[in-house]
Amino acid sequence: MVATACANYFTALFMTITFMFFLDDIDTALDSPTRVPYVEVLYNVTQSKGATIVLTSLVMVLLIACMVDQVTTTSRQLFAFARDGGVPFYTWLSHVRPGWDIPINSLTVTLLVSAVLSLLCIASPIALNIATSLSQTGLLTSYTIAIGCILAKRVRGEAFPPSQFRLGRNGGFLVNLIAMCFLCIANVFIFFPAAPNATAGMMNWSIVIYGGTVIFMLIYCAVRARHIYDGPVTQIIKDE
């Protein structure tokens, strides 16, 4: 896994440098009739519609592979959380039909939500900015929760399960502390607009959706989830 990540980082660095080197006029790329700036950049470099179509098709194949992976992963996370009673409609979302061995209900919900968000992004550039910001915010929030829990466990002096990789007595604590300092700053600036003096169309409205989601889940947790949620489940027994 580490080798795969390093290989991707290495090739992505050269790809980014090449892309930025041939990026001519940013405004022209942003105002492209295709509404996809990187396609305009590829056409300016190749000056060939055929080559642009081939390169764009390669990107589409990679995006489809990412979509399958992301939908599969997200649906399993939704199923696991629903199995523990942590989300609304958990009984239906955690249902697995006999013989299928996949959480088809969670998979369907994940796919439909992804499709609706994609259509909204096509319809409005503001919706695209909100979706992009929300994805980054959700990622940073998940990091903050996970690292924060580990850091709190270290501060309280609680023992960790045996592991094959260790950073020494204080190495892990230092890494967690630096990560939390960065995340505390990043979680604030991620809600800022892309430019100062932003208009209503340029404003980063992700804070409204993010805040509304957090408030709703806190209310749901206080009213219902805290009475039924019992997780996370670490071991399950498959019914024969």
Side-chain angles (χ1 to χ4, degrees):
M1 180 178 178
V2 176
T4 302
C6 292
N8 279 278
Y9 295 150
F10 184 76
T11 55
L13 176 62
F14 282 94
M15 181 193 69
T16 303
I17 294 175
T18 305
F19 186 86
M20 299 300 295
F21 183 82
F22 286 100
L23 182 61
D24 188 14
D25 188 0
I26 297 179
D27 293 331
T28 302
L30 294 175
D31 296 334
S32 170
T34 63
R35 300 185 65 181
V36 184
Y38 80 86
V39 175
E40 183 69 20
V41 175
L42 292 177
Y43 179 73
N44 292 336
V45 173
T46 61
Q47 294 296 314
S48 169
K49 292 184 178 179
T52 303
I53 292 173
V54 171
L55 293 175
T56 305
S57 299
L58 293 177
V59 175
M60 291 300 299
V61 171
L62 295 176
L63 290 176
I64 292 174
C66 290
M67 178 196 68
V68 173
D69 175 74
Q70 293 297 320
V71 170
T72 303
T73 303
T74 306
S75 64
R76 265 51 176 190
Q77 292 176 341
L78 178 60
F79 161 75
F81 206 20
R83 182 192 59 199
D84 299 340
V87 294
F89 310 107
Y90 63 92
T91 302
W92 184 78
L93 289 172
S94 61
H95 176 69
V96 178
R97 297 182 180 180
W100 289 46
D101 294 333
I102 58 173
I104 189 66
N105 295 341
S106 295
L107 181 63
T108 303
V109 170
T110 303
L111 187 60
L112 289 177
V113 171
S114 302
V116 171
L117 291 177
S118 300
L119 293 176
L120 290 177
C121 292
I122 295 175
S124 172
I126 300 177
L128 176 60
N129 294 334
I130 293 175
T132 303
S133 180
L134 280 175
S135 62
Q136 297 172 349
T137 303
L139 187 63
L140 291 179
T141 302
S142 66
Y143 290 160
T144 303
I145 295 174
I147 298 176
C149 291
I150 294 177
L151 187 60
K153 193 177 180 69
R154 293 185 186 278
V155 171
R156 291 194 296 263
E158 299 178 5
F160 285 88
S163 61
Q164 296 181 352
F165 180 77
R166 298 179 60 87
L167 294 176
R169 182 175 181 181
N170 298 319
F173 178 82
L174 182 61
V175 170
N176 293 151
L177 185 61
I178 294 174
M180 283 300 296
C181 291
F182 168 78
L183 289 170
C184 289
I185 298 174
N187 277 315
V188 174
F189 283 97
I190 198 68
F191 292 112
F192 281 27
N197 303 319
T199 62
M202 297 175 57
M203 185 62 185
N204 188 352
W205 297 104
S206 61
I207 182 62
V208 179
I209 302 177
Y210 180 85
T213 303
V214 171
I215 292 173
F216 170 77
M217 294 310 298
L218 288 176
I219 294 175
Y220 176 76
C221 179
V223 174
R224 180 170 174 79
R226 66 188 183 93
H227 301 293
I228 58 177
Y229 177 67
D230 184 19
V233 176
T234 57
Q235 296 180 348
I236 58 175
I237 300 176
K238 182 178 179 181
D239 296 333
E240 298 296 341

